[in-house]
Short mmCIF file of all heavy atoms in Angstrom, two decimals:
data_model
loop_
_atom_site.label_atom_id
_atom_site.label_comp_id
_atom_site.label_asym_id
_atom_site.label_seq_id
_atom_site.Cartn_x
_atom_site.Cartn_y
_atom_site.Cartn_z
N ALA A 236 -6.63 -1.71 26.76
CA ALA A 236 -6.02 -0.43 27.20
C ALA A 236 -6.55 -0.05 28.56
O ALA A 236 -5.89 0.60 29.39
CB ALA A 236 -6.31 0.66 26.18
N ARG A 237 -7.85 -0.42 28.84
CA ARG A 237 -8.45 -0.08 30.14
C ARG A 237 -8.11 -1.06 31.24
O ARG A 237 -7.80 -0.63 32.35
CB ARG A 237 -9.97 0.04 29.99
CG ARG A 237 -10.46 1.16 29.14
CD ARG A 237 -11.97 1.36 29.34
NE ARG A 237 -12.72 0.14 29.13
CZ ARG A 237 -13.30 -0.19 27.99
NH1 ARG A 237 -13.20 0.61 26.95
NH2 ARG A 237 -13.96 -1.37 27.87
N SER A 238 -8.18 -2.35 30.93
CA SER A 238 -8.12 -3.36 31.99
C SER A 238 -6.94 -4.28 31.97
O SER A 238 -6.71 -5.00 32.94
CB SER A 238 -9.41 -4.17 31.95
OG SER A 238 -9.49 -4.91 30.74
N ARG A 239 -6.17 -4.30 30.87
CA ARG A 239 -5.06 -5.26 30.72
C ARG A 239 -5.54 -6.66 30.95
O ARG A 239 -4.87 -7.50 31.62
CB ARG A 239 -3.88 -4.91 31.63
CG ARG A 239 -3.49 -3.46 31.73
CD ARG A 239 -3.21 -2.84 30.39
NE ARG A 239 -1.96 -3.32 29.79
CZ ARG A 239 -1.49 -2.89 28.61
NH1 ARG A 239 -2.24 -1.98 27.93
NH2 ARG A 239 -0.41 -3.35 28.13
N ASP A 240 -6.72 -7.01 30.44
CA ASP A 240 -7.34 -8.27 30.64
C ASP A 240 -6.56 -9.33 29.88
O ASP A 240 -6.57 -9.39 28.63
CB ASP A 240 -8.80 -8.20 30.13
CG ASP A 240 -9.60 -9.47 30.47
OD1 ASP A 240 -8.96 -10.53 30.64
OD2 ASP A 240 -10.81 -9.38 30.59
N ALA A 241 -5.95 -10.30 30.60
CA ALA A 241 -5.15 -11.38 29.97
C ALA A 241 -6.01 -12.31 29.16
O ALA A 241 -5.63 -12.82 28.13
CB ALA A 241 -4.39 -12.15 31.01
N GLY A 242 -7.29 -12.51 29.61
CA GLY A 242 -8.20 -13.38 28.87
C GLY A 242 -8.55 -12.82 27.52
O GLY A 242 -8.61 -13.51 26.52
N ALA A 243 -8.83 -11.48 27.48
CA ALA A 243 -9.18 -10.83 26.25
C ALA A 243 -7.99 -10.89 25.27
O ALA A 243 -8.11 -11.14 24.07
CB ALA A 243 -9.54 -9.38 26.48
N ARG A 244 -6.75 -10.77 25.85
CA ARG A 244 -5.54 -10.80 24.98
C ARG A 244 -5.37 -12.23 24.41
O ARG A 244 -5.06 -12.40 23.20
CB ARG A 244 -4.31 -10.42 25.82
CG ARG A 244 -3.03 -10.42 25.09
CD ARG A 244 -1.88 -10.02 26.04
NE ARG A 244 -0.63 -9.87 25.33
CZ ARG A 244 0.18 -10.87 25.06
NH1 ARG A 244 -0.15 -12.17 25.38
NH2 ARG A 244 1.35 -10.66 24.42
N SER A 245 -5.60 -13.24 25.21
CA SER A 245 -5.46 -14.61 24.74
C SER A 245 -6.50 -14.94 23.66
O SER A 245 -6.15 -15.56 22.64
CB SER A 245 -5.61 -15.58 25.91
OG SER A 245 -5.60 -16.89 25.49
N ASP A 246 -7.76 -14.47 23.88
CA ASP A 246 -8.77 -14.74 22.89
C ASP A 246 -8.44 -14.04 21.58
O ASP A 246 -8.66 -14.58 20.50
CB ASP A 246 -10.13 -14.21 23.43
CG ASP A 246 -10.66 -15.09 24.53
OD1 ASP A 246 -10.19 -16.24 24.71
OD2 ASP A 246 -11.57 -14.63 25.29
N TYR A 247 -7.92 -12.80 21.64
CA TYR A 247 -7.58 -12.05 20.45
C TYR A 247 -6.46 -12.75 19.70
O TYR A 247 -6.49 -12.81 18.46
CB TYR A 247 -7.21 -10.63 20.83
CG TYR A 247 -6.82 -9.78 19.65
CD1 TYR A 247 -7.76 -9.42 18.68
CD2 TYR A 247 -5.48 -9.36 19.48
CE1 TYR A 247 -7.38 -8.66 17.57
CE2 TYR A 247 -5.12 -8.57 18.37
CZ TYR A 247 -6.08 -8.21 17.46
OH TYR A 247 -5.71 -7.51 16.35
N MET A 248 -5.45 -13.20 20.41
CA MET A 248 -4.32 -13.90 19.76
C MET A 248 -4.81 -15.18 19.06
O MET A 248 -4.34 -15.48 17.94
CB MET A 248 -3.23 -14.26 20.79
CG MET A 248 -2.53 -13.03 21.42
SD MET A 248 -1.56 -12.13 20.20
CE MET A 248 -0.41 -11.28 21.23
N MET A 249 -5.69 -15.90 19.72
CA MET A 249 -6.25 -17.14 19.08
C MET A 249 -7.02 -16.78 17.85
O MET A 249 -7.00 -17.50 16.85
CB MET A 249 -7.09 -17.90 20.11
CG MET A 249 -6.27 -18.48 21.25
SD MET A 249 -7.33 -19.34 22.48
CE MET A 249 -8.13 -20.60 21.46
N LEU A 250 -7.78 -15.67 17.93
CA LEU A 250 -8.52 -15.27 16.74
C LEU A 250 -7.63 -14.98 15.58
O LEU A 250 -7.89 -15.40 14.42
CB LEU A 250 -9.37 -13.99 17.05
CG LEU A 250 -10.07 -13.32 15.88
CD1 LEU A 250 -11.14 -14.26 15.31
CD2 LEU A 250 -10.68 -11.99 16.31
N LEU A 251 -6.54 -14.26 15.81
CA LEU A 251 -5.57 -13.95 14.73
C LEU A 251 -4.97 -15.23 14.15
O LEU A 251 -4.75 -15.35 12.95
CB LEU A 251 -4.46 -13.05 15.28
CG LEU A 251 -4.90 -11.58 15.59
CD1 LEU A 251 -3.66 -10.78 16.05
CD2 LEU A 251 -5.52 -10.92 14.37
N THR A 252 -4.67 -16.18 15.03
CA THR A 252 -4.14 -17.46 14.55
C THR A 252 -5.13 -18.16 13.61
O THR A 252 -4.76 -18.66 12.55
CB THR A 252 -3.78 -18.38 15.72
OG1 THR A 252 -2.74 -17.71 16.55
CG2 THR A 252 -3.24 -19.71 15.26
N ASP A 253 -6.38 -18.22 14.06
CA ASP A 253 -7.41 -18.88 13.24
C ASP A 253 -7.56 -18.19 11.90
O ASP A 253 -7.69 -18.80 10.87
CB ASP A 253 -8.74 -18.92 13.98
CG ASP A 253 -8.73 -19.83 15.18
OD1 ASP A 253 -7.82 -20.72 15.25
OD2 ASP A 253 -9.59 -19.71 16.10
N LEU A 254 -7.60 -16.84 11.96
CA LEU A 254 -7.78 -16.07 10.75
C LEU A 254 -6.60 -16.27 9.77
O LEU A 254 -6.80 -16.48 8.58
CB LEU A 254 -7.95 -14.59 11.09
CG LEU A 254 -9.29 -14.18 11.62
CD1 LEU A 254 -9.20 -12.72 12.11
CD2 LEU A 254 -10.38 -14.30 10.58
N GLU A 255 -5.42 -16.26 10.36
CA GLU A 255 -4.19 -16.40 9.57
C GLU A 255 -4.20 -17.77 8.82
O GLU A 255 -3.91 -17.87 7.65
CB GLU A 255 -2.95 -16.28 10.37
CG GLU A 255 -1.68 -16.42 9.58
CD GLU A 255 -0.43 -16.29 10.44
OE1 GLU A 255 -0.55 -15.87 11.61
OE2 GLU A 255 0.67 -16.61 9.94
N GLU A 256 -4.55 -18.82 9.60
CA GLU A 256 -4.57 -20.13 8.98
C GLU A 256 -5.59 -20.26 7.89
O GLU A 256 -5.30 -20.85 6.85
CB GLU A 256 -4.86 -21.20 10.07
CG GLU A 256 -3.72 -21.36 11.08
CD GLU A 256 -4.12 -22.32 12.23
OE1 GLU A 256 -5.31 -22.69 12.29
OE2 GLU A 256 -3.23 -22.64 13.02
N ASN A 257 -6.74 -19.63 8.03
CA ASN A 257 -7.78 -19.63 7.00
C ASN A 257 -7.32 -18.83 5.79
O ASN A 257 -7.59 -19.28 4.66
CB ASN A 257 -9.09 -19.14 7.59
CG ASN A 257 -9.81 -20.16 8.37
OD1 ASN A 257 -10.55 -20.99 7.81
ND2 ASN A 257 -9.68 -20.13 9.66
N PHE A 258 -6.74 -17.68 5.97
CA PHE A 258 -6.28 -16.89 4.85
C PHE A 258 -5.16 -17.58 4.07
O PHE A 258 -5.18 -17.60 2.84
CB PHE A 258 -5.80 -15.49 5.35
CG PHE A 258 -6.85 -14.46 5.36
CD1 PHE A 258 -7.75 -14.37 6.45
CD2 PHE A 258 -7.01 -13.55 4.37
CE1 PHE A 258 -8.72 -13.37 6.51
CE2 PHE A 258 -8.01 -12.60 4.39
CZ PHE A 258 -8.86 -12.49 5.48
N VAL A 259 -4.24 -18.21 4.77
CA VAL A 259 -3.16 -18.92 4.13
C VAL A 259 -3.70 -20.13 3.35
O VAL A 259 -3.29 -20.34 2.19
CB VAL A 259 -2.12 -19.43 5.17
CG1 VAL A 259 -1.12 -20.41 4.52
CG2 VAL A 259 -1.37 -18.25 5.75
N ALA A 260 -4.65 -20.85 3.93
CA ALA A 260 -5.21 -22.01 3.21
C ALA A 260 -5.99 -21.56 1.95
O ALA A 260 -5.90 -22.18 0.91
CB ALA A 260 -6.16 -22.75 4.18
N LYS A 261 -6.73 -20.46 2.07
CA LYS A 261 -7.46 -19.95 0.93
C LYS A 261 -6.54 -19.50 -0.17
O LYS A 261 -6.78 -19.71 -1.35
CB LYS A 261 -8.44 -18.85 1.41
CG LYS A 261 -9.34 -18.39 0.30
CD LYS A 261 -10.29 -19.51 -0.15
CE LYS A 261 -11.31 -19.01 -1.17
NZ LYS A 261 -12.21 -20.10 -1.60
N THR A 262 -5.48 -18.82 0.20
CA THR A 262 -4.52 -18.32 -0.79
C THR A 262 -3.90 -19.50 -1.53
O THR A 262 -3.72 -19.46 -2.78
CB THR A 262 -3.41 -17.46 -0.16
OG1 THR A 262 -4.07 -16.34 0.53
CG2 THR A 262 -2.47 -16.94 -1.17
N ARG A 263 -3.55 -20.53 -0.82
CA ARG A 263 -2.93 -21.75 -1.47
C ARG A 263 -3.92 -22.37 -2.42
O ARG A 263 -3.59 -22.83 -3.51
CB ARG A 263 -2.50 -22.71 -0.40
CG ARG A 263 -1.24 -22.29 0.37
CD ARG A 263 -0.92 -23.26 1.47
NE ARG A 263 0.28 -22.87 2.19
CZ ARG A 263 0.68 -23.36 3.34
NH1 ARG A 263 -0.05 -24.32 3.94
NH2 ARG A 263 1.78 -22.98 3.92
N LYS A 264 -5.20 -22.38 -2.00
CA LYS A 264 -6.25 -22.98 -2.90
C LYS A 264 -6.42 -22.13 -4.18
O LYS A 264 -6.55 -22.66 -5.28
CB LYS A 264 -7.60 -23.05 -2.16
CG LYS A 264 -8.66 -23.80 -2.97
CD LYS A 264 -9.92 -23.96 -2.14
CE LYS A 264 -10.91 -24.80 -2.90
NZ LYS A 264 -11.26 -24.30 -4.22
N LEU A 265 -6.30 -20.80 -4.03
CA LEU A 265 -6.41 -19.95 -5.21
C LEU A 265 -5.24 -20.21 -6.16
O LEU A 265 -5.45 -20.24 -7.35
CB LEU A 265 -6.42 -18.44 -4.77
CG LEU A 265 -7.62 -17.96 -3.96
CD1 LEU A 265 -7.41 -16.55 -3.52
CD2 LEU A 265 -8.91 -18.14 -4.79
N LEU A 266 -4.04 -20.39 -5.64
CA LEU A 266 -2.90 -20.65 -6.45
C LEU A 266 -3.06 -22.04 -7.14
O LEU A 266 -2.73 -22.20 -8.27
CB LEU A 266 -1.62 -20.61 -5.56
CG LEU A 266 -1.18 -19.25 -5.07
CD1 LEU A 266 -0.04 -19.38 -4.05
CD2 LEU A 266 -0.72 -18.39 -6.21
N ALA A 267 -3.52 -23.02 -6.34
CA ALA A 267 -3.72 -24.36 -6.92
C ALA A 267 -4.76 -24.34 -8.06
O ALA A 267 -4.59 -24.97 -9.08
CB ALA A 267 -4.15 -25.35 -5.82
N ASP A 268 -5.86 -23.59 -7.84
CA ASP A 268 -6.88 -23.50 -8.87
C ASP A 268 -6.35 -22.82 -10.13
O ASP A 268 -6.69 -23.21 -11.28
CB ASP A 268 -8.06 -22.73 -8.35
CG ASP A 268 -8.83 -23.50 -7.31
OD1 ASP A 268 -8.63 -24.73 -7.24
OD2 ASP A 268 -9.67 -22.89 -6.57
N SER A 269 -5.47 -21.79 -9.92
CA SER A 269 -4.81 -21.12 -11.10
C SER A 269 -3.98 -22.06 -11.87
O SER A 269 -3.99 -22.08 -13.11
CB SER A 269 -4.07 -19.93 -10.63
OG SER A 269 -4.89 -18.93 -9.99
N ASN A 270 -3.20 -22.88 -11.16
CA ASN A 270 -2.37 -23.88 -11.81
C ASN A 270 -3.22 -24.88 -12.57
O ASN A 270 -2.85 -25.37 -13.66
CB ASN A 270 -1.50 -24.57 -10.80
CG ASN A 270 -0.41 -23.65 -10.25
OD1 ASN A 270 -0.10 -22.63 -10.79
ND2 ASN A 270 0.18 -24.08 -9.11
N SER A 271 -4.35 -25.28 -11.97
CA SER A 271 -5.23 -26.26 -12.63
C SER A 271 -5.82 -25.65 -13.92
O SER A 271 -5.90 -26.31 -14.94
CB SER A 271 -6.35 -26.64 -11.70
OG SER A 271 -7.28 -27.52 -12.28
N ASP A 272 -6.21 -24.33 -13.85
CA ASP A 272 -6.67 -23.67 -15.11
C ASP A 272 -5.62 -23.68 -16.15
O ASP A 272 -5.94 -23.85 -17.35
CB ASP A 272 -7.12 -22.24 -14.73
CG ASP A 272 -8.35 -22.21 -13.86
OD1 ASP A 272 -9.06 -23.25 -13.79
OD2 ASP A 272 -8.57 -21.18 -13.21
N LEU A 273 -4.37 -23.44 -15.80
CA LEU A 273 -3.31 -23.45 -16.78
C LEU A 273 -3.13 -24.81 -17.40
O LEU A 273 -2.97 -24.94 -18.63
CB LEU A 273 -2.03 -23.00 -16.13
CG LEU A 273 -0.72 -23.01 -17.02
CD1 LEU A 273 -0.90 -22.09 -18.22
CD2 LEU A 273 0.51 -22.66 -16.19
N GLU A 274 -3.20 -25.88 -16.61
CA GLU A 274 -3.07 -27.25 -17.15
C GLU A 274 -4.21 -27.53 -18.11
O GLU A 274 -3.99 -28.19 -19.13
CB GLU A 274 -3.04 -28.28 -16.02
CG GLU A 274 -1.73 -28.25 -15.20
CD GLU A 274 -1.70 -29.38 -14.20
OE1 GLU A 274 -2.76 -29.96 -13.91
OE2 GLU A 274 -0.62 -29.63 -13.68
N ILE A 275 -5.35 -27.07 -17.81
CA ILE A 275 -6.56 -27.28 -18.67
C ILE A 275 -6.30 -26.59 -20.04
O ILE A 275 -6.51 -27.15 -21.11
CB ILE A 275 -7.82 -26.82 -18.03
CG1 ILE A 275 -8.17 -27.72 -16.85
CG2 ILE A 275 -8.96 -26.82 -19.05
CD1 ILE A 275 -9.34 -27.21 -16.03
N GLU A 276 -5.82 -25.36 -19.97
CA GLU A 276 -5.55 -24.58 -21.17
C GLU A 276 -4.49 -25.28 -22.02
O GLU A 276 -4.60 -25.36 -23.25
CB GLU A 276 -5.10 -23.16 -20.83
CG GLU A 276 -6.20 -22.32 -20.22
CD GLU A 276 -7.32 -21.98 -21.19
OE1 GLU A 276 -7.08 -22.03 -22.44
OE2 GLU A 276 -8.40 -21.57 -20.75
N ILE A 277 -3.43 -25.76 -21.40
CA ILE A 277 -2.38 -26.45 -22.12
C ILE A 277 -2.92 -27.72 -22.74
O ILE A 277 -2.57 -28.04 -23.88
CB ILE A 277 -1.21 -26.72 -21.14
CG1 ILE A 277 -0.53 -25.42 -20.75
CG2 ILE A 277 -0.18 -27.64 -21.79
CD1 ILE A 277 0.57 -25.56 -19.72
N GLY A 278 -3.76 -28.46 -21.97
CA GLY A 278 -4.27 -29.70 -22.51
C GLY A 278 -5.17 -29.45 -23.73
O GLY A 278 -5.08 -30.18 -24.75
N VAL A 279 -6.00 -28.44 -23.65
CA VAL A 279 -6.83 -28.07 -24.82
C VAL A 279 -6.04 -27.71 -25.98
O VAL A 279 -6.32 -28.15 -27.11
CB VAL A 279 -7.82 -26.93 -24.41
CG1 VAL A 279 -8.54 -26.41 -25.64
CG2 VAL A 279 -8.84 -27.36 -23.38
N LEU A 280 -4.98 -26.90 -25.80
CA LEU A 280 -4.08 -26.49 -26.92
C LEU A 280 -3.40 -27.74 -27.53
O LEU A 280 -3.30 -27.83 -28.74
CB LEU A 280 -3.08 -25.54 -26.40
CG LEU A 280 -2.04 -25.03 -27.45
CD1 LEU A 280 -2.78 -24.37 -28.64
CD2 LEU A 280 -1.03 -24.07 -26.80
N ARG A 281 -2.97 -28.64 -26.68
CA ARG A 281 -2.28 -29.88 -27.23
C ARG A 281 -3.26 -30.70 -28.08
O ARG A 281 -2.92 -31.21 -29.11
CB ARG A 281 -1.77 -30.73 -26.06
CG ARG A 281 -0.51 -30.19 -25.43
CD ARG A 281 -0.07 -31.11 -24.26
NE ARG A 281 1.13 -30.57 -23.59
CZ ARG A 281 2.35 -30.74 -23.96
NH1 ARG A 281 2.61 -31.49 -25.08
NH2 ARG A 281 3.37 -30.30 -23.25
N ASP A 282 -4.52 -30.79 -27.58
CA ASP A 282 -5.54 -31.57 -28.35
C ASP A 282 -5.78 -30.93 -29.71
O ASP A 282 -5.91 -31.63 -30.73
CB ASP A 282 -6.82 -31.64 -27.55
CG ASP A 282 -6.69 -32.57 -26.29
OD1 ASP A 282 -5.69 -33.36 -26.29
OD2 ASP A 282 -7.51 -32.41 -25.41
N ARG A 283 -5.88 -29.60 -29.70
CA ARG A 283 -6.10 -28.91 -30.99
C ARG A 283 -4.98 -29.10 -31.99
O ARG A 283 -5.16 -29.32 -33.16
CB ARG A 283 -6.36 -27.43 -30.78
CG ARG A 283 -7.68 -27.16 -30.07
CD ARG A 283 -7.83 -25.67 -29.83
NE ARG A 283 -9.11 -25.37 -29.19
CZ ARG A 283 -9.47 -24.16 -28.75
NH1 ARG A 283 -8.65 -23.11 -28.88
NH2 ARG A 283 -10.66 -23.97 -28.20
N LEU A 284 -3.76 -28.99 -31.43
CA LEU A 284 -2.59 -29.18 -32.27
C LEU A 284 -2.51 -30.62 -32.80
O LEU A 284 -2.12 -30.86 -33.94
CB LEU A 284 -1.30 -28.84 -31.51
CG LEU A 284 -1.11 -27.33 -31.17
CD1 LEU A 284 0.11 -27.14 -30.26
CD2 LEU A 284 -1.01 -26.49 -32.39
N ALA A 285 -2.83 -31.58 -31.92
CA ALA A 285 -2.80 -32.99 -32.34
C ALA A 285 -3.83 -33.21 -33.49
O ALA A 285 -3.55 -33.97 -34.42
CB ALA A 285 -3.13 -33.89 -31.15
N ARG A 286 -4.97 -32.59 -33.38
CA ARG A 286 -5.97 -32.79 -34.47
C ARG A 286 -5.47 -32.20 -35.82
O ARG A 286 -5.90 -32.59 -36.89
CB ARG A 286 -7.31 -32.10 -34.08
CG ARG A 286 -8.08 -32.90 -33.02
CD ARG A 286 -9.53 -32.44 -32.98
NE ARG A 286 -9.63 -31.05 -32.53
CZ ARG A 286 -9.77 -30.69 -31.27
NH1 ARG A 286 -9.74 -31.61 -30.29
NH2 ARG A 286 -9.90 -29.44 -30.90
N GLU A 287 -4.59 -31.20 -35.68
CA GLU A 287 -4.04 -30.60 -36.90
C GLU A 287 -2.79 -31.38 -37.39
O GLU A 287 -2.14 -30.95 -38.32
CB GLU A 287 -3.63 -29.14 -36.64
CG GLU A 287 -4.77 -28.26 -36.28
CD GLU A 287 -5.69 -28.03 -37.47
OE1 GLU A 287 -5.19 -28.09 -38.59
OE2 GLU A 287 -6.92 -27.73 -37.26
N GLY A 288 -2.45 -32.49 -36.72
CA GLY A 288 -1.34 -33.24 -37.11
C GLY A 288 0.02 -32.70 -36.62
O GLY A 288 1.04 -33.03 -37.16
N ILE A 289 0.00 -31.80 -35.62
CA ILE A 289 1.19 -31.18 -35.11
C ILE A 289 1.56 -31.69 -33.72
O ILE A 289 0.66 -31.71 -32.87
CB ILE A 289 1.05 -29.63 -35.05
CG1 ILE A 289 0.76 -29.07 -36.48
CG2 ILE A 289 2.33 -28.96 -34.50
CD1 ILE A 289 0.44 -27.58 -36.46
#
Side-chain angles (χ1 to χ4, degrees):
R237 292 195 306 266
S238 63
R239 316 306 288 181
D240 188 335
R244 183 179 184 276
S245 176
D246 290 343
Y247 178 68
M248 293 294 201
M249 292 177 60
L250 172 65
L251 291 181
T252 298
D253 291 342
L254 286 171
E255 181 181 348
E256 290 175 352
N257 279 277
F258 270 82
V259 170
K261 186 63 177 180
T262 301
R263 288 175 178 167
K264 186 175 187 303
L265 294 176
L266 291 170
D268 289 344
S269 296
N270 291 343
S271 179
D272 291 342
L273 176 60
E274 288 187 345
I275 292 172
E276 293 291 341
I277 292 175
V279 171
L280 179 58
R281 286 180 182 275
D282 290 342
R283 289 179 179 175
L284 292 174
R286 286 196 296 270
E287 297 292 333
I289 300 174

